[in-house]
Amino acid sequence: MTSAKLSIGIILGSTRQGRVSPQVGEWVEGIAKQRGDANYEIVDIADFKLPFLGTTDGTEPGIKAWSEKLSSLDGFVFVVQEYNHSISGALKNAVDFARDEWANKAAGIVSYGSTGGARAAEHLRGILGELQVADVRVHPTLSLFTDFENFSTFKPAELHNNNVNDMLDQVVAWSGALKTLR
Ligand SMILES: Cc1cc2nc3c(=O)[nH]c(=O)nc-3n(C[C@H](O)[C@H](O)[C@H](O)COP(=O)(O)O)c2cc1C
């Protein structure tokens, strides 16, 4: 049994110019890093410059880097934004680029949208089931109307801090348990 800390990636699900996901991801990371129970890092899918799946010969360096990054992680927190009642195309494409790299790991979801991004989060749960990612119950939902100013400057209500910590409690516990299966 190793005592090495688990590695948890906080995955930013949007790539568009003007996106708010970095603000949300940095807020999650700030709460997470105060805990000291795992190594947390932001994983920005935009950094990998992934092509649209299947449209190239697959030799872009970002594809390998994305696979290696996911392989290095024990668990995930998805920062999910609602696009037409689902997840963004960019996140779906990035998720589809890997398979074994996801399996037998745990994930939490922090979502935002007009209804807290709930519809997108529920779609993601279905996708994660196919990939053998165990998604935890606690799910912080952020409102574009009350947790953002002008839908662009993130000002989260205090109550969300407890939800993020409760979600991370579950992600860390399940990530540790599932590591024994890999
Ligand atoms: C193409 C598109 C579709 C959207 N559809 C929805 C939607 O169905 N429900 C919702 O609550 N918000 C919707 N929104 C608003 C986004 O949730 C909001 O713009 C959010 O900031 C997007 O995340 P991002 O800034 O990280 O890209 C949509 C935004 C875009 C760009």
Side-chain angles (χ1 to χ4, degrees):
M1 197 72 174
T2 173
S3 60
K5 281 187 181 176
L6 298 166
S7 295
I8 309 292
I10 301 165
I11 297 178
L12 306 187
S14 59
T15 55
R16 72 177 181 92
Q17 289 191 7
R19 64 194 173 144
V20 301
S21 56
Q23 296 179 64
V24 179
E26 284 162 21
W27 170 74
V28 172
E29 184 186 38
I31 297 169
K33 286 197 163 169
Q34 285 176 22
R35 299 163 55 92
D37 58 349
N39 295 319
Y40 296 95
E41 63 177 294
I42 288 180
V43 178
D44 186 351
I45 59 177
D47 288 343
F48 296 86
K49 298 185 169 40
L50 295 169
F52 194 54
L53 181 68
T55 58
T56 71
D57 64 2
T59 56
E60 289 85 349
I63 297 175
K64 185 162 180 280
W66 175 241
S67 170
E68 289 172 353
K69 174 54 69 181
L70 295 180
S71 295
S72 75
L73 297 168
D74 300 300
F76 315 98
V77 175
F78 287 92
V79 174
V80 172
Q81 43 294 126
E82 188 164 307
Y83 280 27
N84 293 320
H85 290 203
S86 190
I87 62 172
S88 70
L91 177 57
K92 182 62 164 61
N93 189 53
V95 166
D96 289 347
F97 255 106
R99 186 163 182 85
D100 293 346
E101 298 92 326
W102 295 114
N104 293 316
K105 297 179 181 177
I109 298 171
V110 176
S111 65
Y112 52 89
S114 60
T115 56
R119 294 166 293 215
E122 292 304 310
H123 275 189
L124 180 60
R125 288 185 188 280
I127 295 163
L128 295 179
E130 169 59 15
L131 293 167
Q132 297 188 79
V133 177
D135 50 309
V136 305
R137 183 182 67 80
V138 179
H139 165 201
T141 53
L142 305 162
S143 168
L144 284 175
F145 298 110
T146 56
D147 293 307
F148 293 82
E149 277 178 10
N150 299 321
F151 306 105
S152 55
T153 304
F154 187 43
K155 296 269 177 71
E158 185 68 28
L159 64 94
H160 296 303
N161 283 44
N162 285 343
N163 286 336
V164 170
N165 272 309
D166 290 349
M167 177 270 294
L168 291 173
D169 287 346
Q170 296 186 342
V171 170
V172 170
W174 280 14
S175 296
L178 287 167
K179 193 168 185 175
T180 63
L181 294 182
R182 300 198 309 275

